[in-house]
Amino acid sequence: MIRYFILFFCFLVNAFVVFTQTRPSWCENVVYDKSYLANENLRTEGISYLLSDVQVNFVTQEYYTHLSMKIVGVNGLRQASSLMVNYDSTYQTAQFLSVHIIRNGQVVDVLKKQQPQQIRREKNLEYGMVDGSLTSYLKVNDLRVGDILDYSCVVKGFNPIVRDFMAISQNTCFSVPIGKVHVCFVTGISDDYNYQLKNGAPRPLVKECGNTTKYIWEVSNPEVINIEQDIPLWYDPVPKVIFSSNTNWERLTNHVLSLFTSEEALGYEYQALLDTIKGHYASKEEQARYAIKFVQNNIHYFANENGIYSFKPRHPNVILHKKSGDCKEKSWLLACLLKDIGYEAYPVLVNTSRGHVLEDQPVSLSVFDHCVNCLITGQDTIYVDPTITNQGGSLHNLFFPNYEKGLVVKIGASGLTSLPVQKMGKTTIEESYSFEGFRGLAYLHVKTVHEGGNADFQRTLFKNVALKDIQTGCLNLYADTYLRIDTLCMLSFEDDHEMNMTTLTQSYVIKNFWDVTDTLQPNNLMAKFHAKAIHDLLLRETYPSRKSPMALVYPIDITHIINVELPEDWIINNESETIAGEGFAFTRRVNYDDRNLTLSYNYVTTQSYVDKDNYLDFIEKNGRVFNNLNYVLWYYGSKNMEGQKDMPHPFFLALVIMTLLVYSMIAFKAYKYDPKVAPKYQGRNQPIGGWLLVPAIGIVAWTFTMCVLFIMKIDGGINNWLLPDASEDSSLRLLGRLILLFGLLLLLVFGVLNSVLLFLRRSSFPRMMVIYYIAFSIFSLMVSTIMHVALQDGEVFFMNLVPFANSAVWIPYFIKSERVKRTFTKRLSPERILAGEEIVTV
């Protein structure tokens, strides 16, 4: 018995040791609800997340993660079964502490059956970046839908180069539902750290545990954050806590200065380069420009950010020898060259996407992701990005991206510096159209001029992409508008490097440029011109409301000019319109002189985003800009006018007149219809009132509406309305429109007839109204059925609801109502009664 007790006790001790190994002793034990199930309308990827637990110990330099999720769909198996922990092996170790599958209440220990693999996968290698990080990877076998996957891991070691300038951010809410979020930061009692709460993150529970202090955030079933489209890169709506060292910009600057300092002297290769620069160029400005060009184009970008080199640059001797380096290494080399040329020059740390909110971030190395340069010439400070290649222009007009804020790495710098906002550069697209008459070929010549940063981009594009591929891309761009377009000659590219301006010239030939709009009148033609460059820039999804700012492409300045050499004289009015809103301004001008039409469109952005409070106003004005990007010319035989309405075709005019005559003859016979009145209602002649006012007003109002609709169809171009465009070729549409036309005329004529009978209170009015309602219902059913087949749109059947509802209510009313029988008692020929044809008894 004692032996079994000892064995059982040893088993418990062993189990306890195994359990404690799954979580470091300093970690908080987090209990969570394994039965939690996220709302199915909010779930993504077939996973319901139960727990996110992140705990960071600044004393022991450990990063502990505990995640739990339930697989609720087949598509969740692939993602959940691949577990990965990334770490830098030069100063970190990583370990899976536990991996459990919980199935029907039973726990399966995966690590007893499978062991993680250590692999190296450079995720950004194709972008010229390696970091030497390793991945501990575990592919979980036998994971099934309905299982809970619960695992934890720990990464030990912080980057020593960061030292007292750390900042770690953790979310307290996510864009997917989750049962519980737990965040804990552990510091020494005397350590100097602080935290920032962003976007409504809760305050922490602070407690002392021996020689450490714990800051704990725990949120159950947190709000699901909706990340809207087109938000600025700097905008982050997710509630979070940022835990960081308590320091200042001056201390950080001094630390970065130490990273850009070395006792190693600049070598022979560096001195030879400097001698070459000074020997070939007389002025300091020319020498500086060549030094910038050399570093940008001859030191190719390659970032090896393994270990401490994620923040510390390698020596300029190494970079110059390898002819490669990352942004901070190229910046250090360029700063050395510029100083030896005679300029005051420094590296500048920036953030490529979050400069707008950089001042709101804690002081740390991790807030920066890029390094550039500045050089001071007299009173001017010039900023240069050494990673941009093929840059044109002089020293004073080099394009510099809009990074907004930066930290200048020089002695005495005690804060961030505002960086200049430069225009990306103007783009001017000029399209010229000429024609061999209306039936001949059309010729399109396009000249596109890029300036500034746009020219830099185009220059790089033409150096890296085959000319034939660019030609094909340009042709396809115009083929979206003109199906029968072909290249007239190979495009040409000119580069004014000193002015930093590129010119691209294209020529095309287009068949059947003028579209036939009326199959019965083939001489009626239409041509459409479109500012596509601006149109593509404005394309974006719209929402009825918005809670986040909306990003704009900024700064941008696009001018699209369309020159049209018309084959005949036209009647065109000159006009100008300006639409301005928050963040943009748009101008459209139309000028016509002696067969030459010029359409000019200009769109500029004046800021990088639109505030959520001004979003709807922006969308409304953006829609007005869209509506002003098209210009249509109509040609009607010998009449060439801008927007002229076509006159009805003689065939349709004759058809309408004949239809009206036939309907009028039928209406005249119907007018003579003179039904008898029951003896008890004769002579009553009660006035129109009560519920009878509703259909009385309805027939008069609807008749007036029919008249207006018919006039609008005539005025809007009855030919184009009746016949689809030649490109549509839809007989069903034509049939539907013809039935609609004949129905409108029928309802118009008999609406007038019934209105007359109504005011005369004729005895025939109730029966004529019953016939009218029945005809109206049949007519609407026919039209909606045909249009449903033609348009493949089920919603057109809703147009039947009103006439059928009217029929269901008013037909029984006109048949049974005593009020109707006492009101409509007048006859067309009362003399027949007086002559004794009918015996009247009271």
Side-chain angles (χ1 to χ4, degrees):
M1 178 66 70
I2 295 176
R3 184 179 63 179
Y4 287 117
F5 176 80
I6 294 173
L7 289 175
F8 180 71
F9 178 79
C10 291
F11 171 79
L12 289 178
V13 170
N14 182 66
F16 179 76
V17 171
V18 171
F19 175 77
T20 56
Q21 287 178 344
T22 63
R23 187 177 70 250
S25 59
W26 56 268
C27 284
E28 290 285 304
N29 181 29
V30 181
V31 178
Y32 65 97
D33 182 7
K34 293 183 176 62
S35 64
Y36 169 82
L37 190 63
N39 187 313
E40 63 180 355
N41 295 325
L42 299 176
R43 285 185 227 144
T44 60
E45 301 168 340
I47 296 175
S48 179
Y49 295 92
L50 309 180
L51 172 69
S52 169
D53 176 22
V54 176
Q55 304 187 47
V56 182
N57 192 323
F58 286 89
V59 179
T60 62
Q61 296 190 358
E62 292 179 89
Y63 194 104
Y64 170 81
T65 302
H66 178 197
L67 299 175
S68 183
M69 63 193 77
K70 183 170 185 177
I71 314 304
V72 295
V74 175
N75 55 336
L77 292 172
R78 183 182 61 84
Q79 177 178 331
S81 62
S82 295
L83 307 183
M84 291 175 285
V85 181
N86 297 321
Y87 64 100
D88 191 323
S89 60
T90 58
Y91 59 87
Q92 288 180 322
T93 60
Q95 180 185 6
F96 279 104
L97 300 178
S98 66
V99 181
H100 293 151
I101 296 176
I102 304 173
R103 180 182 299 150
N104 299 324
Q106 302 297 314
V107 179
V108 179
D109 191 342
V110 175
L111 292 180
K112 287 185 176 181
K113 302 178 180 180
Q114 299 178 245
Q115 292 300 314
Q117 300 176 347
Q118 305 303 313
I119 61 176
R120 179 174 177 176
R121 58 187 193 104
E122 296 291 350
K123 296 179 291 184
N124 297 311
L125 184 60
E126 61 270 28
Y127 301 110
M129 297 178 64
V130 296
D131 56 17
S133 64
L134 298 181
T135 298
S136 182
Y137 174 74
L138 179 65
K139 178 67 175 177
V140 180
N141 296 331
D142 194 30
L143 190 64
R144 308 174 189 175
V145 174
D147 289 350
I148 293 176
L149 179 63
D150 183 291
Y151 71 96
S152 62
C153 59
V154 66
V155 176
K156 298 182 179 181
F158 290 168
N159 193 335
I161 207 70
V162 175
R163 289 177 20 193
D164 298 328
F165 305 98
M166 291 189 63
I168 298 177
S169 173
Q170 288 297 323
N171 294 350
T172 58
C173 295
F174 294 89
S175 59
V176 296
I178 188 167
K180 177 178 285 189
V181 175
H182 181 269
V183 177
C184 177
F185 292 101
V186 182
T187 69
I189 290 290
S190 60
D191 289 343
D192 194 7
Y193 290 91
N194 59 16
Y195 60 85
Q196 292 183 7
L197 303 178
K198 299 289 186 179
N199 304 316
R203 298 191 65 82
L205 168 67
V206 182
K207 64 180 183 180
E208 293 186 0
C209 302
N211 294 325
T212 62
T213 301
K214 291 186 176 182
Y215 301 82
I216 302 171
W217 287 262
E218 188 168 283
V219 183
S220 296
N221 196 16
E223 176 189 3
V224 177
I225 305 301
N226 178 34
I227 308 296
E228 295 178 309
Q229 298 292 324
D230 299 322
I231 61 173
L233 294 176
W234 51 260
Y235 181 77
D236 183 2
V238 179
K240 63 182 57 187
V241 55
I242 305 177
F243 207 84
S244 62
S245 308
N246 192 11
T247 185
N248 57 54
W249 290 115
E250 186 174 6
R251 288 181 58 197
L252 178 60
T253 303
N254 293 333
H255 177 60
V256 176
L257 270 171
S258 68
L259 304 181
F260 282 83
T261 303
S262 174
E263 294 181 359
E264 180 183 353
L266 294 168
Y268 169 80
E269 195 170 1
Y270 174 87
Q271 192 59 48
L273 172 61
L274 187 61
D275 292 341
T276 300
I277 294 174
K278 291 184 175 181
H280 282 75
Y281 299 96
S283 69
K284 283 175 53 178
E285 185 172 315
E286 290 177 320
Q287 294 171 7
R289 185 67 188 94
Y290 181 83
I292 293 170
K293 268 186 176 181
F294 180 87
V295 174
Q296 287 180 329
N297 300 327
N298 295 84
I299 307 297
H300 70 270
Y301 184 88
F302 184 80
N304 186 347
E305 299 183 344
N306 190 14
I308 64 173
Y309 295 107
S310 55
F311 293 100
K312 179 178 175 60
R314 293 172 179 81
H315 194 274
N317 289 342
V318 177
I319 303 308
L320 194 57
H321 178 71
K322 295 193 306 179
K323 297 297 186 296
S324 67
D326 63 13
C327 58
K328 58 185 179 292
E329 293 165 344
K330 294 180 71 165
S331 293
W332 191 6
L333 173 60
L334 180 58
C336 292
L337 288 171
L338 293 173
K339 286 178 180 178
D340 286 335
I341 289 171
Y343 286 99
E344 189 178 347
Y346 308 99
V348 182
L349 299 182
V350 299
N351 191 296
T352 54
S353 60
R354 297 183 60 81
H356 189 77
V357 293
L358 200 58
E359 287 185 322
D360 299 329
Q361 305 303 306
V363 178
S364 70
L365 277 174
S366 59
V367 299
F368 302 107
D369 64 0
H370 191 41
C371 187
V372 296
N373 288 90
C374 73
L375 66 150
I376 300 174
T377 60
Q379 299 297 320
D380 297 331
T381 300
I382 298 173
Y383 291 88
V384 179
D385 190 331
T387 63
I388 298 177
T389 58
N390 303 307
Q391 230 180 347
S394 66
L395 183 63
H396 293 275
N397 69 353
L398 289 174
F399 169 72
F400 183 73
N402 184 22
Y403 296 137
E404 296 198 47
K405 298 286 183 180
L407 181 68
V408 180
V409 185
K410 69 175 182 178
I411 297 175
S414 59
L416 297 174
T417 299
S418 294
L419 306 181
V421 177
Q422 296 184 5
K423 292 184 177 180
M424 182 66 182
K426 187 173 183 179
T427 296
T428 303
I429 302 169
E430 186 171 359
E431 299 175 345
S432 298
Y433 294 85
S434 59
F435 308 98
E436 293 180 350
F438 292 105
R439 301 296 183 181
L441 299 175
Y443 298 95
L444 169 60
H445 301 279
V446 186
K447 177 182 176 183
T448 306
V449 178
H450 294 283
E451 303 175 30
N454 289 329
D456 295 335
F457 175 80
Q458 293 295 319
R459 188 179 297 112
T460 301
L461 175 67
F462 274 81
K463 285 180 179 293
N464 292 285
V465 180
L467 190 63
K468 65 178 183 62
D469 293 333
I470 297 176
Q471 176 78 75
T472 301
C474 293
L475 177 63
N476 292 338
L477 185 67
Y478 281 100
D480 289 341
T481 305
Y482 309 113
L483 294 177
R484 297 176 178 85
I485 189 172
D486 201 359
T487 302
L488 193 60
C489 60
M490 182 60 72
L491 57 81
S492 66
F493 181 74
E494 299 176 9
D495 186 3
D496 187 337
H497 206 276
E498 290 302 315
M499 296 299 296
N500 201 16
M501 178 184 298
T502 62
T503 303
L504 175 65
T505 304
Q506 311 161 60
S507 295
Y508 304 99
V509 60
I510 306 171
K511 298 179 180 178
N512 300 333
F513 183 89
W514 294 83
D515 291 329
V516 176
T517 61
D518 186 347
T519 53
L520 294 181
Q521 296 191 60
N523 290 328
N524 287 0
L525 305 173
M526 180 270 287
K528 180 185 292 186
F529 304 94
H530 182 53
K532 183 174 176 59
I534 298 177
H535 175 273
D536 293 345
L537 179 68
L538 299 182
L539 285 177
R540 62 178 72 246
E541 293 187 29
T542 58
Y543 306 91
S545 62
R546 192 175 180 92
K547 297 180 180 179
S548 309
M550 182 178 65
L552 298 178
V553 180
Y554 171 78
I556 199 166
D557 185 348
I558 293 183
T559 299
H560 195 137
I561 300 172
I562 300 174
N563 298 312
V564 184
E565 185 179 337
L566 295 169
E568 293 185 10
D569 290 327
W570 233 268
I571 300 175
I572 296 177
N573 297 321
N574 293 340
E575 56 185 89
S576 177
E577 182 177 5
T578 298
I579 302 173
E582 183 183 16
F584 81 96
F586 170 78
T587 302
R588 169 182 174 267
R589 292 186 176 88
V590 178
N591 291 291
Y592 176 76
D593 181 34
D594 191 23
R595 297 189 182 182
N596 291 306
L597 170 65
T598 300
L599 309 172
S600 179
Y601 306 87
N602 176 253
Y603 185 88
V604 298
T605 53
T606 56
Q607 60 190 46
S608 61
Y609 69 96
V610 174
D611 188 76
K612 61 183 178 64
D613 295 331
N614 298 310
Y615 169 72
L616 291 179
D617 179 69
F618 173 86
I619 292 299
E620 185 272 328
K621 291 178 178 177
N622 196 68
R624 287 169 55 193
V625 173
F626 265 113
N627 295 335
N628 278 275
L629 295 178
N630 290 327
Y631 194 87
V632 179
L633 290 175
W634 303 89
Y635 176 81
Y636 301 106
S638 61
K639 297 178 180 179
N640 322 340
M641 292 190 179
E642 171 196 28
Q644 177 183 316
K645 304 295 188 299
D646 54 337
M647 295 301 293
H649 191 282
F651 170 77
F652 290 119
L653 191 61
L655 184 63
V656 169
I657 293 174
M658 289 179 61
T659 303
L660 285 174
L661 286 175
V662 172
Y663 286 165
S664 298
M665 292 174 61
I666 298 174
F668 182 72
K669 287 185 174 294
Y671 179 79
K672 288 186 175 183
Y673 174 59
D674 198 24
K676 298 178 182 180
V677 178
K680 66 177 180 178
Y681 300 117
Q682 291 178 3
R684 292 295 181 91
N685 297 329
Q686 187 170 345
I688 298 172
W691 285 108
L692 191 55
L693 285 173
V694 177
I697 295 173
I699 186 62
V700 175
W702 191 247
T703 301
F704 177 77
T705 302
M706 293 297 102
C707 184
V708 172
L709 285 175
F710 183 69
I711 293 174
M712 288 175 62
K713 294 302 181 187
I714 294 291
D715 182 63
I718 190 70
N719 305 324
N720 292 333
W721 175 73
L722 280 172
L723 285 183
D725 291 345
S727 59
E728 292 183 27
D729 191 25
S730 173
S731 57
L732 279 174
R733 289 176 184 266
L734 174 59
L735 178 60
R737 291 172 181 177
L738 283 174
I739 292 176
L740 184 58
L741 174 65
F742 295 146
L744 286 176
L745 292 176
L746 178 66
L747 296 176
L748 174 60
V749 172
F750 282 86
V752 171
L753 171 65
N754 282 348
S755 298
V756 172
L757 297 176
L758 168 70
F759 287 110
L760 294 178
R761 284 181 285 172
R762 285 276 307 279
S763 60
S764 59
F765 176 74
R767 298 184 186 180
M768 296 304 297
M769 280 299 293
V770 170
I771 296 173
Y772 183 87
Y773 282 127
I774 294 173
F776 198 174
S777 299
I778 295 173
F779 158 69
S780 62
L781 178 62
M782 292 174 60
V783 172
S784 62
T785 302
I786 292 174
M787 297 310 289
H788 167 67
V789 176
L791 300 176
Q792 295 297 309
D793 185 0
E795 293 184 3
V796 296
F797 277 109
F798 285 108
M799 67 189 302
N800 292 322
L801 294 179
V802 173
F804 276 103
N806 282 337
S807 299
V809 172
W810 296 113
I811 288 178
Y813 177 79
F814 277 105
I815 294 174
K816 298 292 185 180
S817 172
E818 288 292 318
R819 180 62 182 256
V820 170
K821 294 175 181 179
R822 291 195 301 267
T823 301
F824 300 100
T825 60
K826 294 187 178 182
R827 303 285 302 280
L828 177 63
S829 304
E831 63 275 5
R832 296 168 59 191
I833 301 176
L834 298 176
E837 286 187 31
E838 298 178 6
I839 301 174
V840 179
T841 59
V842 180

